[in-house]
Amino acid sequence: MKINKLIASVTAAASTAAMAGYTAMTAFAEEAEKTTNAANAQQPSAGSLLTMPLMLLVMFVLLYFVAIRPQKKRDRELKEMQQSLQVGDEVVTGGGIVGIVVSVGEDTVVIETGGAKHKLRIKNWAITENVSAAERLKEAKAAGKTSSTVEAAAVVDDDDKKSKKKKNDEE
């Protein structure tokens, strides 16, 4: 019995709340309809119709030059740095691991970390900074050499040094 009375009172309260909500929504809809009819009575001018798309276009162009283009440039420079890694470079990974490049593979790099000379194989995309290249770039700028960042950060090919040493040793 008590459960039936409880269910009946909850149902009555819910239906009363629903009716009040419906009444409020209907009143709001009638109010909105009156304002839209008044707004439709005044036709917008042709100038205001052209201004909105023009402003949207200006905003998209501004967004491109402020946000999208600089990010693409940073991504391209990061990709170039990751592709130009060489043995002996000191690198920092995205997780904060600092190490020296021991070998470079197709899509992985082996780095040596710590005093115990632990070796880790990581993916190229995980490398976020080439400390050696950044130092070489600073030295090049201090010396007054002006070149592109990739050329200034590049290391002389180790194979060329080895072949020159062999030639000198043979002579």
Side-chain angles (χ1 to χ4, degrees):
M1 281 291 193
K2 289 183 180 181
I3 295 175
N4 289 339
K5 287 182 181 179
L6 180 64
I7 291 174
S9 65
V10 169
T11 307
S15 63
T16 305
M19 284 302 275
Y22 175 75
T23 306
M25 286 177 27
T26 307
F28 178 74
E30 290 172 1
E31 180 83 19
E33 186 178 334
K34 289 177 185 176
T35 56
T36 54
N37 287 339
N40 287 340
Q42 298 173 351
Q43 292 293 326
S45 65
S48 65
L49 290 176
L50 292 176
T51 344
M52 190 180 309
L54 184 63
M55 291 301 290
L56 283 172
L57 180 67
V58 168
M59 288 175 58
F60 281 120
V61 168
L62 186 65
L63 177 71
Y64 176 77
F65 282 108
V66 171
I68 297 171
R69 188 172 177 212
Q71 182 62 40
K72 283 186 178 182
K73 183 178 178 185
R74 283 190 295 271
D75 290 345
R76 184 178 56 243
E77 288 174 354
L78 180 65
K79 192 80 160 169
E80 287 176 2
M81 181 273 300
Q82 291 168 345
Q83 296 299 322
S84 67
L85 288 175
Q86 297 181 354
V87 176
D89 284 348
E90 184 177 355
V91 294
V92 179
T93 67
I97 299 172
V98 179
I100 297 175
V101 176
V102 176
S103 69
V104 179
E106 189 172 313
D107 64 341
T108 61
V109 175
V110 177
I111 62 171
E112 190 174 82
T113 63
K117 305 290 183 186
H118 295 285
K119 291 187 171 115
L120 300 171
R121 189 177 82 188
I122 58 173
K123 294 285 189 176
N124 281 351
W125 56 261
I127 297 174
T128 57
E129 183 181 358
N130 188 341
V131 178
S132 302
E135 289 173 359
R136 286 191 296 272
L137 181 61
K138 286 179 185 177
E139 290 173 4
K141 285 184 178 179
K145 295 179 183 176
T146 56
S147 62
S148 72
T149 57
V150 176
E151 292 172 358
V155 177
V156 178
D157 191 16
D158 292 335
D159 294 333
D160 290 341
K161 287 182 180 179
K162 289 178 185 176
S163 63
K164 287 180 183 178
K165 285 182 181 178
K166 286 180 183 178
K167 289 179 183 178
N168 290 339
D169 291 339
E170 291 173 2
E171 291 176 358

